[in-house]
């Protein structure tokens, strides 16, 4: 499988995992998205003609990392607010 396509698949999977209600699974998704980011960079270095698919893989992986790390933080802040409020 080509690295650029694999990075897209991993990035999309990480975005899907970010909506899972279990924080350890979200952290695994963040690690997977970092791997997808690395694959996209390696694929771009190997063949400059795959720039579009590498860019899509990079964006999907970055979005996966952000969502996987932001969702637990928002959840914990919400739980703290609910605890303090009432």
């Amino acid at each position: 499988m080509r690295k650029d396509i694999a990075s897209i698949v991993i990035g999309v999977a990480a975005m899907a995992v970010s909506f899972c209600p279990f924080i350890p699974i979200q952290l695994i998704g963040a690690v997977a998205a970092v791997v997808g980011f690395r694959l996209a960079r390696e694929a771009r270095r190997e063949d400059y003609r795959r720039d579009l698919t590498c860019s899509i893989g990079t964006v999907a992986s970055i979005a996966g990392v952000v969502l996987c790390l932001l969702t637990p933080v928002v959840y914990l802040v919400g739980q703290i607010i609910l605890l303090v409020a009432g």
Side-chain angles (χ1 to χ4, degrees), residues 32-72:
V34 170
V35 170
F37 180 75
R38 297 282 302 187
L39 285 174
R41 287 179 51 106
E42 289 176 13
R44 180 173 285 146
R45 286 184 183 149
E46 289 175 3
D47 189 2
Y48 69 92
R49 292 173 290 177
R50 295 183 181 164
D51 190 47
L52 179 64
T53 54
C54 292
S55 297
I56 294 170
T58 301
V59 169
S61 296
I62 290 173
V65 168
V66 169
L67 286 175
C68 283
L69 296 180
L70 185 66
T71 305

Side-chain angles (χ1 to χ4, degrees), residues 12-28:
V12 170
M15 285 189 277
V17 165
S18 71
F19 295 106
C20 180
F22 303 110
I23 292 176
I25 294 176
Q26 292 172 342
L27 296 177
I28 292 170

Side-chain angles (χ1 to χ4, degrees), residues 14 20 73 81:
C20 180
V73 171
I81 291 172

